[in-house]
Amino acid sequence: MHWPEGKRFAFTVFDDTDEATLENVAPVYAFLRDLGLLTTKSVWPIAGQGKAMLGGSTCEDDHYRAWLLQLQAEGFEIALHNATYHDSPREETIRAFDRFREIFGSDPTSLANHTSNAEGIYWGADRVSGPRALVYNLLTRFRRRNHFRGHHKGDPLFWGDICKARLKYVRNFVFADINTLAACPLMPYHDPIRPCVNAWFASAEGGSLDSFNRTISEENQDRLEQEGGACIMYTHFAKGFFRNGEIEPRFRTLMQRLAKKQAWFVPVTKLLDHLAAKQGCHELTPRERSALEWKWLRHKVLVGTT
């Protein structure tokens, strides 16, 4: 893969908004901005009315919303993490899309399902197919079987048609490899048995501070550069990346080192658009689907990722 501007590889982050507030994530984004790293921050457009398993600020908070608009103006991508921090029926999801457009000027282009929301699209056991669904259900003790219904037409939580009409990319599988493009060279890809999603993308493991730092270790950074690959990190910047009044030291050191490399630092959608322009949006075959799903299940057994 040839990267723009003569860069040697590509790097970005999709940040799930769980537990995010101005206090715990604004310093992380200031740090990234100062390093010249543009990434993707997801949001909840509307405030929830019920109890959240994992809450955080929403776009209904005036100060938080103003900060998000500043991020957008600086070149960061604002993405979606479902409508809010708990289950949302169809009409609330539509309201959230409309609110997002009202605030940010257009529909979101990328989304990651919030793992506790039952309107998750092709989530839980529906992330995989055939015998892999049984393996997934055994691994999760059937707790997530038939739980996620965003793609079930006629269900009160259905919003698959909205996803098809108003979203470009949805995140699915997460792998341990820092080189996300090597782990999933087909991305962005369309899966014909999951037609509500236009295109899927994968990510590299980084849901916790420790796993993020392991994935972007010095050795892995150098390998990503040598391979000329692309990394899309999955993370939650609200969970310990800024604490005790400072950027966590190991994370700071690793990101400062990374920023000195000749990398293309762009948000997720810009990276995926580049891949799509170069190799198209791949149509997944049954054999490719089987291989990708088994690969993710093996990672899930080893790491326990979402």
Side-chain angles (χ1 to χ4, degrees):
M1 179 64 62
H2 295 285
W3 302 108
E5 306 166 16
K7 302 298 185 180
R8 296 174 58 88
F9 64 99
F11 181 91
T12 192
V13 181
F14 193 108
D15 172 28
D16 290 6
T17 197
D18 308 23
E19 301 183 8
T21 65
L22 268 179
E23 291 72 25
N24 62 24
V25 295
V28 178
Y29 280 91
F31 172 66
L32 295 175
R33 179 200 62 217
D34 291 345
L35 289 179
L37 274 67
L38 296 177
T39 60
T40 296
K41 179 179 182 348
S42 66
V43 300
W44 289 312
I46 60 178
Q49 302 302 313
K51 185 177 180 180
M53 289 180 61
L54 289 169
S57 296
T58 75
C59 293
E60 302 297 1
D61 180 306
D62 292 346
H63 296 294
Y64 186 70
R65 183 175 66 252
W67 172 71
L68 291 169
L69 286 167
Q70 177 186 328
L71 276 187
Q72 183 187 42
E74 291 171 349
F76 290 89
E77 177 186 3
I78 308 300
L80 203 61
H81 200 44
N82 295 124
T84 192
Y85 44 68
H86 57 59
D87 301 353
S88 296
R90 174 182 176 83
E91 57 271 18
E92 287 296 277
T93 295
I94 293 172
R95 185 167 75 87
F97 268 86
D98 292 345
R99 182 63 176 142
F100 187 103
R101 180 190 288 171
E102 178 184 347
I103 295 169
F104 300 108
S106 64
D107 283 335
T109 53
S110 63
L111 168 137
N113 285 306
H114 184 41
T115 193
S116 64
N117 285 21
E119 80 273 17
I121 196 157
Y122 303 115
W123 206 242
D126 289 324
R127 296 173 76 175
V128 289
S129 55
R132 277 86 59 192
L134 175 60
V135 173
Y136 177 93
N137 281 325
L138 290 170
L139 288 171
T140 57
R141 300 181 181 181
F142 291 85
R143 289 189 302 268
R144 294 184 167 190
R145 183 178 59 170
N146 301 323
H147 180 69
F148 298 99
R149 308 189 302 279
H151 52 288
H152 291 179
K153 192 171 184 179
D155 191 282
L157 297 179
F158 173 70
W159 64 284
D161 55 337
I162 306 303
C163 184
K164 183 72 175 176
R166 301 178 70 171
L167 264 175
K168 200 170 187 179
Y169 301 116
V170 177
R171 188 185 69 205
N172 192 0
F173 300 128
V174 177
F175 300 105
D177 195 343
I178 191 174
N179 191 346
T180 314
L181 190 56
C184 185
L186 306 175
M187 71 175 188
Y189 65 89
H190 176 72
D191 187 345
I193 72 169
R194 298 177 175 90
C196 294
V197 170
N198 290 303
W200 296 95
F201 68 98
S203 287
E205 180 60 53
S208 68
L209 172 65
D210 289 343
S211 64
F212 191 102
N213 286 345
R214 282 196 300 271
T215 298
I216 65 161
S217 68
E218 292 89 349
E219 178 184 1
N220 285 344
Q221 288 183 25
D222 292 345
R223 179 170 60 82
L224 178 64
E225 182 178 26
Q226 291 162 9
E227 294 173 355
C231 176
I232 302 176
M233 289 297 301
Y234 147 66
T235 199
H236 303 90
F237 278 142
K239 298 185 178 182
F241 287 77
F242 178 78
R243 58 191 182 192
N244 300 322
E246 65 175 6
I247 301 295
E248 194 276 329
R250 176 68 174 154
F251 170 67
R252 182 182 63 233
T253 298
L254 287 169
M255 294 301 284
Q256 288 171 336
R257 182 182 191 271
L258 180 65
K260 294 176 182 177
K261 290 183 175 293
Q262 290 298 307
W264 194 43
F265 297 116
V266 293
V268 169
T269 289
K270 190 167 184 178
L271 173 54
L272 293 173
D273 283 348
H274 177 76
L275 293 175
K278 290 291 185 180
Q279 57 194 35
C281 182
H282 182 79
E283 189 82 0
L284 206 63
T285 68
R287 178 174 293 184
E288 291 165 343
R289 181 184 305 113
S290 175
L292 190 62
E293 290 175 358
W294 280 123
K295 184 176 186 178
W296 175 69
L297 285 171
R298 286 193 294 270
H299 174 68
K300 187 170 180 65
V301 169
L302 293 173
V303 180
T305 188
T306 55

